[in-house]
Amino acid sequence: MSTVTTPARRQAAPASPRGASPATVLVASLLGFFVIALDALVVNVSLPAIGHSLSGGMTGLQWVVDGYTLMFAALMVSAGALSDRIGASRAFGGGMVVFTLASAACGLAPSLSLLVVARLVQGAAAAVMMPASLALVRQAFPEAGARARAIAVWTAGGAIAGALGPVLGGALTSAWSWRGVFFINLPVGVLALVLLARVPRSAGRPAPVDLPGQLAGVVALGALTYGVIDGGAHGFGSPAVLLTLLVAVAAAVVFLVVEARQKQPMVPLSLFRSRTVSVCVAVGFAINAVFYGIVFVLSLFFQQVRGQSALSAGLMFVPMTALVAVVNLFVAAWAARRFGPKVPMVAGQIGTALGLLGLLTVDRATPTALLALTVIPLGIAGALAVPPLTATMLDGVPADRAGTAAGVLNTARQVGGALSVAVFGALIGSGASFTDGMRVSLAVAAVLLTASALAALFLLPGRRATVGG
């Protein structure tokens, strides 16, 4: 969904060898970003087919989505340091090899548990690839104007992948099998690696890796997600669930202590002394939580409640994802320049919140065309708000903290997506009916977006900021 912001640390730019070109680097990096963004959404409409094929219930299906997103979020910030240490080309290539092999493992998985394990590996590989792909682009385009155009093309790859995800997932599942949504990554991965072989090797440089903080962060996020998902299935009073949530709290405390004492922490806590940073992180969390959580719920609603095919369910999202791609790339930047970043940020969130309230009226009998139109506002927040949100976040920190701030923002957004799937899945699983649980999820999402919109309206500065197109 929309632009994904990642840390981009400076690296040496060696001369290109004969046969290599900046365009080759850009295409290889774009293909990596494309499959990363695609896999965040392509699997959603395949979930009922996966559940039927591998005999999985709601808990397992939640982990098919969250296994990927959780590892992607948990490893994102420190992955930039790894890229710096071993070089962007090596990090990207290694990540792409692992991602491609994990995709094959997903497609061949004989059981739901092995599918989830493969999705965890996919997410970890995606976290390594993401900052490395953007670092490669910066390395290949040293001139500022050319680099800006290249990054815009790179960004478009993610937007297009987000738009194609649901419909491609539905088409592959209907025409072939749910396994096709993972096998589609194989030719893309091979092509990216062939192109990467012509790219100059990036120079590495000493870069600290905050291993204690990273481990504590993974444990905290993993335990929290597991506790919420398992709580929805077995009740939050279960001893195992309570113990898991206590582990999450303890790991979070350890993470905060470690980050406060580290000389070069993964997440500098001093960043959050800035009101702008704190609000932007909260807004980013809310936008992704609503988008990914509701897409997860609606994908199941279309098929399990309304009886639509996977292809039909994927097509239901086309008007919404098309809006995200077009507005994100062409309208958001203009609106931020014309009115300042706060206006599109607030307007986008309120627009989606109102759309969520409109979805409260849908049920099994709602006409398909009307329902597809009703889903459109779900993408407004991400399409209109994320580019000015990113600019405001980066404008609120010193230049030498921009990469870290971008990593923190993107991590918060991915964590929001992972936790919302866990929470909304618990709500639809514990309600009197699927539709009742879905309506509670929609109401919670609307309240969350309204709260974050009000925070942006009253707590962010009113100055203008430049947002690139």
Side-chain angles (χ1 to χ4, degrees):
M1 178 196 81
S2 67
T3 305
V4 178
T5 308
T6 58
R9 294 166 170 79
R10 294 187 180 275
Q11 297 196 10
S16 298
R18 185 175 301 175
S21 70
T24 301
V25 178
L26 177 58
V27 173
S29 300
L30 186 150
L31 289 173
F33 187 22
F34 181 88
V35 292
I36 290 170
L38 184 71
D39 269 56
L41 285 175
V42 71
V43 74
N44 280 281
V45 295
S46 304
L47 292 175
I50 292 173
H52 178 75
S53 173
L54 301 181
S55 302
M58 178 62 68
T59 298
L61 297 181
Q62 287 171 277
W63 274 111
V64 171
V65 177
D66 270 353
Y68 180 84
T69 309
L70 180 63
M71 294 303 291
F72 186 41
L75 299 177
M76 173 61 66
V77 177
S78 62
L82 176 65
S83 175
D84 280 355
R85 181 180 287 272
I86 67 175
S89 59
R90 187 174 295 175
F92 182 80
M96 180 59 82
V97 168
V98 175
F99 185 92
T100 304
L101 292 175
S103 297
C106 288
L108 295 170
S111 68
L112 195 61
S113 58
L114 289 178
L115 174 58
V116 170
V117 170
R119 286 286 282 173
L120 288 168
V121 176
Q122 257 195 325
V128 174
M129 290 164 57
M130 180 66 82
S133 71
L134 189 53
L136 282 173
V137 174
R138 293 189 57 155
Q139 172 182 299
F141 295 88
E143 194 274 318
R147 184 169 62 245
R149 291 189 292 273
I151 291 175
V153 173
W154 180 87
T155 301
I160 292 169
L164 285 177
V167 66
L168 182 60
L172 287 170
T173 301
S174 294
W176 180 15
S177 164
W178 63 266
R179 299 180 187 276
V181 305
F182 300 110
F183 288 143
I184 194 69
N185 294 331
L186 273 57
V188 179
V190 170
L191 177 57
L193 289 170
V194 169
L195 293 174
L196 188 66
R198 302 178 58 200
V199 172
R201 175 169 292 187
S202 307
R205 67 174 179 81
V209 177
D210 179 10
L211 187 58
Q214 180 65 83
L215 290 175
V218 170
V219 171
L221 290 175
L224 178 59
T225 304
Y226 183 90
V228 174
I229 290 176
D230 211 43
H234 302 107
F236 287 93
S238 164
V241 171
L242 291 175
L243 178 60
T244 303
L245 294 177
L246 285 174
V247 169
V249 172
V253 171
V254 170
F255 175 81
L256 293 174
V257 171
V258 167
E259 297 306 283
R261 294 182 177 179
Q262 284 275 33
K263 290 184 179 180
Q264 293 181 303
M266 180 176 68
V267 179
L269 301 182
S270 59
L271 278 177
F272 295 95
R273 294 172 188 164
S274 164
R275 186 171 65 184
T276 296
V277 169
S278 297
V279 172
C280 285
V281 167
V283 170
F285 176 95
I287 289 174
N288 267 41
V290 169
F291 184 85
Y292 286 106
I294 298 302
V295 167
F296 171 79
V297 171
L298 290 177
S299 295
L300 296 176
F301 171 72
F302 293 150
Q303 296 176 76
Q304 294 186 348
V305 176
R306 291 174 56 87
Q308 296 178 234
S309 67
L311 176 58
S312 175
L315 291 173
M316 296 291 286
F317 292 106
V318 169
M320 181 266 291
T321 53
L323 171 80
V324 171
V326 172
V327 174
N328 189 231
L329 293 174
F330 302 110
V331 179
W334 170 84
R337 287 193 297 266
R338 177 68 176 82
F339 304 107
K342 184 187 293 190
V343 170
M345 284 173 62
V346 174
Q349 293 178 88
I350 294 298
T352 294
L354 292 174
L356 291 167
L357 296 178
L359 281 168
L360 290 172
T361 63
V362 306
D363 56 26
R364 184 195 302 267
T366 302
T368 300
L370 177 60
L371 183 53
L373 293 175
T374 309
V375 171
I376 290 177
L378 177 60
I380 292 177
L384 196 58
V386 169
L389 166 66
T390 303
T392 301
M393 176 78 169
L394 298 183
D395 190 46
V397 298
D400 61 350
R401 290 289 186 91
T404 301
V408 169
L409 175 60
N410 193 57
T411 297
R413 292 177 60 197
Q414 299 306 318
V415 169
L419 290 181
S420 67
V421 169
V423 171
F424 293 168
L427 289 173
I428 61 177
S430 60
S433 67
F434 187 104
T435 303
D436 288 340
M438 182 182 73
R439 286 173 176 161
V440 173
S441 299
L442 291 167
V444 169
V447 170
L448 179 61
L449 268 189
T450 301
S452 64
L454 293 175
L457 178 63
F458 293 109
L459 298 179
L460 287 180
R463 66 181 183 277
R464 294 175 180 267
T466 301
V467 181

